[in-house]
Amino acid sequence: MVAETNDVQNFLASQALFQHLSQENLEYLSNNIYVAYQKTGGQIVPENNVKPVGLVMVRSGSLEIRDAGNNLIDRLSTGDFFIPRILSQAPESVAVRVLEDCLYYELSDAAFQSIKANDNDISRLCETYSRTYQVIPEPSTTPAKKATFTETYLDETVQGYMTAPAFCASPNITIRRAAQLMTNNKISSLLITEDEKLVGIMTDRDLRTRVVAQGIADTEAVSGVMTTTPYCVDVKCRLHQAQLVMMSSGIHHLPVVENDKPAGMLCMSDIMRANNIEPLSLTRSINNASTVAELSGVAAKMPDLVIKLIERDTRPYEVGEIITSLSDALTRRLIRLAENEFGKPPCSWAWLAFGSQARQEQMLGSDQDNALIFSNDATAEQQGYFGKFALFINDGLDACGIHRCPGEIMACNPKWRLTLQGWQKTFSYWIEERSPKALMHASIFFDMRPVAGDRDLVDSLRDYVLQKAKTNTIFLALMTDNAMQHSPPLGFFKQFVLEKDGDHINTLDLKKRGTISIVDIARNYSLSAALSEVNTIARLQAMETAGVMSRELVASLIDAHEFIADLRLKAQGVKFRDGDTIDNQLDPKSLSPLVRHQLKEAFNLVRQAQMAMKARFGAGVL
């Protein structure tokens, strides 16, 4: 039967999905809606060829959607909806059953397709819904979003900014000939190739430090003084990724390759010319600071930078990478100041970052998680040097707004200054002990990345840990149980479950109950396959490549992670501007109805992914 138009229109206007539509569009929809009814225990056929239905929305009562194995996929109540075409295209058949007498609206397929083609929000929601049911989304017919300023810069590839073609030479030419080539071509670096493959790089700095300063004759072959196996990036690498490689490795020349052959050279000045973006300016200021007080002054500008990035609609993972790159720069500068204060470290060592800094996912308000690792031959006396050294750096980071870890997971804590063997023994204990505290430590320490020092020490530790964890299914099962404690805040019918007391009453914790849940999922699957990636997005992409997780679920989790992180970032920006304490809480009432609906869908997807993880690892065996 045809619905009473005014009643339907009023109902649609109150629902998150349609609340943003104009009166004209609401009227159009209400004129193309039919009312249907089904009793408890009945079923609703997802797709009707006689009367194609584009969308079904519950007016009263409740439904549930189950797969062929009778596993619950979703529960729907007033205002919730499903898209019959997507359900009918799902790889496994699904059934829609009525839990309570249900009155529902059927929107004609023609009307639904029309409104979807002209509304970006509804179109995006349909894409997310498609991935939930592992259906390849239909190509979007809505106009593409105009690129923002930041996207224009950050999404550009290095190909457009590198110097090409690459100037190359054989490793057998003399140092003098290499210098002549550089002078004649007015370049400050020369790529060294063998059989068209990049094998080294020679720079002005190499000539100064490895030839002139060492008294090497210029008749010697360049192969003896060049930098072998240099860092390089592909021509499709984006500028901000190349920038991070250069900043993290302390180099100013980055070879660019295509099909493993040199294609050009990217210099730091090329990136600066591309855009005088503030992270570079802050990094330069950090590198030039000579005291902790100066560093603190530079770091005080970081929140303003983040606010600008938010206003430019920069994607959350890019903001996380930029904040982390600045934290890394602060750490390295403090290490240099500590060396000036206490002398050079007496043995092989590395500064380790854990948690969000290791994953390059830091946000405003992130605190410290770090440690030190030494070579196995480090004596007790040599290790003793690092007490004041680490305290200087931890205090310096605190002065720069990266506050001390409440759990004392910092390098100044002797407990977290160990040799490689000491760390291997500690990780083995965490993997085999299976206590709650061991699992808590594992969830923090398993995300590790070297910030300074000997990277080989960290690579050796990571390889050891990955192999140890991969073969222990009981440990993976316990890690899964531990991860399930970070359940998304959704009730039985996907209503928000808010904090009930304390300072954050009636709010959502977007970190603990949102992004961390996805971080846990990515970590557990990565450990099971011994994948070495640390960043959550990189882990998910590696999981798809390794066949550990389906392409559809990977895409959905990346979408959910970006969406929740974006809300968290914007909420932090509002609090900073208002002068409030920056945390991870969000009052859902501050969101529009449609965004609230999308957030519920994102939480629901995470919940389903958690259940899939539980099914996969929850019954671990030795």
Side-chain angles (χ1 to χ4, degrees):
M1 59 181 174
V2 178
E4 288 290 337
T5 304
N6 287 339
D7 178 53
V8 174
Q9 189 170 328
N10 291 337
F11 176 76
L12 295 181
S14 67
Q15 300 308 310
L17 185 61
F18 300 123
Q19 198 169 37
H20 63 291
L21 297 181
S22 66
Q23 282 298 116
E24 182 182 2
N25 282 333
L26 288 170
E27 184 177 350
Y28 169 70
L29 292 181
S30 60
N31 285 332
N32 286 278
I33 270 182
Y34 289 80
V35 178
Y37 177 78
Q38 189 62 261
K39 287 188 175 182
T40 301
Q43 289 200 15
I44 298 175
V45 179
E47 187 150 34
N48 184 338
N49 293 327
V50 177
K51 185 186 66 178
V53 175
L55 180 138
V56 172
M57 177 168 278
V58 178
R59 175 65 192 259
S60 64
S62 60
L63 311 169
E64 66 177 15
I65 302 174
R66 290 182 179 271
D67 65 15
N70 203 34
N71 297 307
L72 178 65
I73 298 176
D74 204 357
R75 282 198 177 94
L76 311 181
S77 59
T78 301
D80 293 331
F81 67 90
F82 67 84
I83 301 173
R85 178 179 294 184
I86 291 175
L87 294 191
S88 66
Q89 292 176 349
E92 292 187 9
S93 62
V94 297
V96 182
R97 294 171 182 160
V98 176
L99 293 175
E100 299 171 295
D101 290 357
C102 187
L103 184 70
Y104 56 96
Y105 292 151
E106 294 179 338
L107 175 63
S108 75
D109 190 55
F112 179 63
Q113 296 303 328
S114 174
I115 203 73
K116 190 181 82 170
N118 292 286
D119 189 285
N120 279 324
D121 291 330
I122 293 178
S123 178
R124 273 198 298 272
L125 198 63
C126 289
E127 290 178 9
T128 303
Y129 193 80
S130 296
R131 282 194 279 270
T132 300
Y133 288 91
Q134 301 183 27
V135 174
I136 298 175
E138 297 174 2
S140 174
T141 56
T142 53
K145 181 185 173 186
K146 186 178 179 181
T148 65
F149 164 81
T150 307
E151 287 168 338
T152 301
Y153 166 64
L154 292 173
D155 287 345
E156 297 255 21
T157 64
V158 298
Q159 193 166 22
Y161 294 92
M162 67 184 187
T163 300
F167 289 94
C168 303
S170 162
N172 298 321
I173 66 169
T174 63
I175 296 171
R176 180 185 300 171
R177 180 57 184 155
Q180 289 171 342
L181 286 172
M182 293 166 67
T183 302
N184 294 340
N185 290 291
K186 298 179 180 179
I187 53 177
S188 56
S189 60
L190 185 66
L191 297 182
I192 310 301
T193 58
E194 200 164 32
D195 297 330
E196 298 188 340
K197 301 288 186 184
L198 180 67
V199 296
I201 183 173
M202 186 78 179
T203 67
D204 278 341
R205 186 167 64 176
D206 293 332
L207 288 171
R208 292 194 306 273
T209 60
R210 297 180 181 178
V211 178
V212 177
Q214 301 298 321
I216 303 294
D218 61 7
T219 54
E220 294 289 325
V222 75
S223 58
V225 293
M226 68 182 186
T227 298
T228 57
T229 59
Y231 287 98
C232 61
V233 294
D234 188 82
V235 291
K236 296 178 182 176
C237 177
R238 291 190 295 168
L239 273 177
H240 89 280
Q241 293 171 322
Q243 174 191 336
L244 291 175
V245 171
M246 297 169 83
M247 290 165 59
S248 61
S249 53
I251 58 177
H252 294 86
H253 301 83
L254 187 61
V256 181
V257 298
E258 184 171 23
N259 298 324
D260 294 331
K261 297 178 181 177
M265 175 68 75
L266 188 75
C267 300
M268 188 62 84
S269 57
D270 295 324
I271 294 178
M272 293 173 66
R273 276 199 302 274
N275 199 295
N276 187 24
I277 196 163
E278 292 86 344
L280 279 177
S281 174
L282 280 185
T283 303
R284 284 198 300 272
S285 299
I286 289 170
N287 291 338
N288 291 330
S290 56
T291 65
V292 173
E294 286 182 31
L295 279 177
S296 177
V298 177
K301 300 175 183 176
M302 285 174 60
D304 287 325
L305 167 65
V306 174
I307 297 302
K308 288 182 181 177
L309 294 172
I310 295 170
E311 291 171 347
R312 292 170 185 171
D313 208 17
T314 306
R315 285 172 292 191
Y317 84 88
E318 291 171 339
V319 175
E321 286 184 337
I322 290 171
I323 295 175
T324 305
S325 71
L326 293 172
S327 295
D328 287 357
L330 286 169
T331 305
R332 293 194 188 96
R333 191 60 191 160
L334 284 165
I335 287 172
R336 182 61 61 89
L337 295 180
E339 289 176 345
N340 294 340
E341 181 81 15
F342 306 110
K344 294 284 185 183
C347 61
S348 182
W349 63 282
W351 184 275
L352 280 166
F354 298 112
S356 60
Q357 186 179 3
R359 297 192 302 271
Q360 296 181 291
E361 296 168 2
Q362 283 189 304
M363 295 282 172
L364 290 175
S366 295
D367 59 14
Q368 299 181 45
D369 284 315
N370 47 57
L372 279 164
I373 181 172
F374 314 122
S375 58
N376 289 330
D377 57 2
T379 65
E381 183 180 357
Q382 289 172 330
Q383 293 180 37
Y385 159 91
F386 289 94
K388 292 181 179 178
F389 177 88
L391 182 61
F392 180 93
I393 296 161
N394 289 139
D395 285 346
L397 288 171
D398 186 67
C400 291
I402 306 174
H403 297 305
R404 300 173 69 90
C405 172
E408 292 294 309
I409 299 176
M410 294 179 291
C412 64
N413 184 345
K415 190 176 178 181
W416 307 127
R417 298 198 302 267
L418 301 170
T419 62
L420 174 59
Q421 286 181 345
W423 277 111
Q424 289 172 338
K425 185 177 178 182
T426 299
F427 272 99
S428 294
Y429 172 79
W430 288 335
I431 292 171
E432 294 164 4
E433 170 62 18
R434 302 162 192 167
S435 70
K437 192 167 185 178
L439 290 170
M440 182 196 74
H441 281 140
S443 65
I444 297 172
F445 286 81
F446 274 20
D447 298 340
M448 71 173 91
R449 182 172 60 85
V451 175
D454 187 350
R455 301 174 65 91
D456 290 343
L457 287 171
V458 185
D459 290 342
S460 298
L461 176 60
R462 181 187 294 113
D463 292 344
Y464 175 86
V465 171
L466 287 175
Q467 292 306 316
K468 193 84 177 176
K470 177 184 177 183
T471 56
N472 194 320
T473 56
I474 290 290
F475 171 71
L476 292 174
L478 292 171
M479 285 288 283
T480 297
D481 285 341
N482 190 54
M484 298 297 285
Q485 295 178 19
H486 300 142
S487 58
L490 283 184
F492 189 73
F493 283 110
K494 295 196 298 187
Q495 74 278 20
F496 288 129
V497 177
L498 306 176
E499 302 286 334
K500 294 181 178 177
D501 48 34
D503 295 337
H504 304 307
I505 188 168
N506 292 331
T507 63
L508 299 167
D509 189 328
L510 293 180
K511 179 183 177 185
K512 189 180 295 183
R513 308 292 293 275
T515 53
I516 284 295
S517 303
I518 301 173
V519 168
D520 287 340
I521 291 169
R523 182 190 303 111
N524 282 10
Y525 277 85
S526 294
L527 286 174
S528 74
L531 301 175
S532 60
E533 284 75 8
V534 181
N535 175 266
T536 299
I537 302 298
R539 275 177 168 165
L540 289 167
Q541 292 169 337
M543 286 154 52
E544 179 191 341
T545 302
V548 177
M549 183 178 280
S550 71
R551 183 184 65 175
E552 292 78 11
L553 185 53
V554 164
S556 297
L557 284 174
I558 290 176
D559 282 350
H561 186 274
E562 284 288 285
F563 181 73
I564 298 170
D566 186 55
L567 292 180
R568 177 185 168 198
L569 200 57
K570 288 175 177 171
Q572 289 185 337
V574 171
K575 289 177 181 175
F576 176 75
R577 281 191 290 263
D578 293 344
D580 296 335
T581 302
I582 296 175
D583 54 29
N584 302 301
Q585 305 299 132
L586 173 75
D587 181 354
K589 291 180 181 177
S590 66
L591 303 175
S592 72
L594 183 57
V595 174
R596 281 203 298 270
H597 182 87
Q598 290 174 306
L599 182 58
K600 289 178 182 177
E601 290 299 317
F603 282 150
N604 190 45
L605 178 101
V606 176
R607 182 162 65 183
Q608 291 177 23
Q610 281 189 328
M611 297 308 297
M613 176 177 66
K614 177 75 174 175
R616 181 160 182 165
F617 302 116
V621 293
L622 287 172

